[in-house]
Amino acid sequence: AQSVTQLGSHVSVSEGALVLLRCNYSSSVPPYLFWYVQYPNQGLQLLLKYTTGATLVKGINGFEAEFKKSETSFHLTKPSAHMSDAAEYFCAVIRSYNTDKLIFGTGTRLQVFP
Amino acid sequence: DVKVTQSSRYLVKRTGEKVFLECVQDMDHENMFWYRQDPGLGLRLIYFSYDVKMKEKGDIPEGYSVSREKKERFSLILESASTNQTSMYLCASSSWTSGSPYEQYFGPGTRLTVT
C-alpha cells in the first residue's frame, strides 16, 4: 500500500537560510509525487509535482524537489528562505493510476525567523 | 483558474445537529473530494465522488454522508454532529480528462466547531 512519511513536524530556519523539508514514500507502482503548501487560514495550493521524466522538479516561489528512486525520497528544498515561506507543507503520492485519489503526509510546519 | 468555494469559513454547531457543508467548483471537474484536516494527522479522505450521484467511501467515512446532485456541487453531511467531528474540512476537485490529471484544487476550508 502507498504511504508518505514526512520527517519533522516542525522546521525552523532563519531568513536567507536553506530550506529542506523531507518526504519519503512507499509505493507499489512507480510513484507520482506532489508537494502542496498551505498558508495560514487557506486551502492547499500545489507547489510542484513529479510524474515522469526529469527527476529534479521546479515549482513556484523558488522551490524544487528531487525524486530519488533508490532512496524512495522526494525532499523539498529552497536555497534561501523568505519570511513569506512560513506555512505548512504536505507531501502526497497517488494511490493508483486509475484514480485521482492522493495519500497525504502529516505535514511539516515551516517557521522562518528574521 | 480553477475556483473551489466552500459555503462557510467558520461554523459552530451543537452536538446532535445535522450539519451541511457545501462545496462548489467552477471548472467542470468530474472528481470531487472531502477531507478532514487535524493537527499531526495531515489530510484524511472522507468521501470521493467521480461523477454525479457517484460516491465512494474514503478512509474515515463513519459519521458522514455526501450528496452530489449536480456536477459542480458536492455536499458533506454530518447526520448527528459530535464533538470529535470538530475539525477543518477541506473540499477539492480534479479532472481525469484535463491536462493535469491527479492534480487537486482545494477550497479555503471550513473550520467546524461542535460544542
Side-chain angles (χ1 to χ4, degrees):
Chain A
Q2 273 68 282
S3 68
V4 173
T5 302
Q6 291 185 241
L7 295 174
S9 58
H10 290 82
V11 170
S12 298
V13 299
S14 299
E15 194 172 20
L18 171 72
V19 175
L20 171 61
L21 304 182
R22 299 179 187 274
C23 173
N24 288 89
Y25 69 90
S26 172
S27 179
S28 56
V29 299
Y32 288 2
L33 295 154
F34 303 78
W35 275 102
Y36 281 84
V37 61
Q38 184 180 33
Y39 298 105
N41 298 316
Q42 295 186 28
L44 276 69
Q45 176 184 356
L46 182 69
L47 263 182
L48 49 80
K49 62 183 178 184
Y50 169 78
T51 52
T52 57
T55 56
L56 182 62
V57 181
K58 294 187 185 299
I60 61 172
N61 301 335
F63 284 92
E64 61 184 35
E66 187 170 11
F67 169 62
K68 292 187 176 180
K69 183 179 178 181
S70 60
E71 298 177 8
T72 62
S73 69
F74 191 56
H75 301 332
L76 183 70
T77 60
K78 182 174 180 177
S80 177
H82 192 271
M83 297 294 289
S84 61
D85 295 325
E88 189 153 23
Y89 293 79
F90 293 93
C91 183
V93 65
I94 62 164
R95 296 189 187 220
S96 68
Y97 293 142
N98 61 1
T99 174
D100 274 16
K101 291 189 288 185
L102 300 175
I103 294 175
F104 286 86
T106 53
T108 298
R109 185 167 297 279
L110 176 66
Q111 280 188 303
V112 182
F113 292 100
Chain B
D1 275 354
V2 176
K3 194 163 185 183
V4 180
T5 57
Q6 296 183 229
S7 52
S8 305
R9 293 300 303 273
Y10 300 92
L11 210 52
V12 179
K13 295 293 182 180
R14 293 199 180 275
T15 301
E17 278 193 81
K18 191 169 186 175
V19 181
F20 293 86
L21 303 183
E22 307 285 342
C23 175
V24 177
Q25 50 93 6
D26 66 358
M27 279 300 290
D28 202 36
H29 283 178
E30 61 270 23
N31 302 316
M32 295 188 76
F33 309 81
W34 274 108
Y35 293 94
R36 172 176 171 155
Q37 181 182 8
D38 299 288
L41 297 178
L43 276 71
R44 294 179 290 167
L45 182 65
I46 305 172
Y47 265 98
F48 164 59
S49 170
Y50 50 94
D51 202 349
V52 176
K53 297 190 188 295
M54 306 303 286
K55 62 186 179 185
E56 191 175 296
K57 291 181 180 179
D59 302 315
I60 52 164
E62 296 78 19
Y64 304 94
S65 62
V66 291
S67 172
R68 194 163 178 204
E69 298 295 319
K70 293 185 177 182
K71 191 174 185 179
E72 68 271 18
R73 187 179 298 271
F74 191 34
S75 302
L76 180 69
I77 303 158
L78 287 66
E79 296 288 343
S80 178
S82 64
T83 55
N84 63 13
Q85 292 178 310
T86 291
S87 187
M88 170 71 91
Y89 291 88
L90 292 166
C91 176
S93 72
S94 73
S95 174
W96 185 252
T97 58
S98 76
S100 298
Y102 311 108
E103 185 174 328
Q104 295 185 17
Y105 296 83
F106 284 81
T110 295
R111 187 167 295 281
L112 173 67
T113 302
V114 183
T115 63

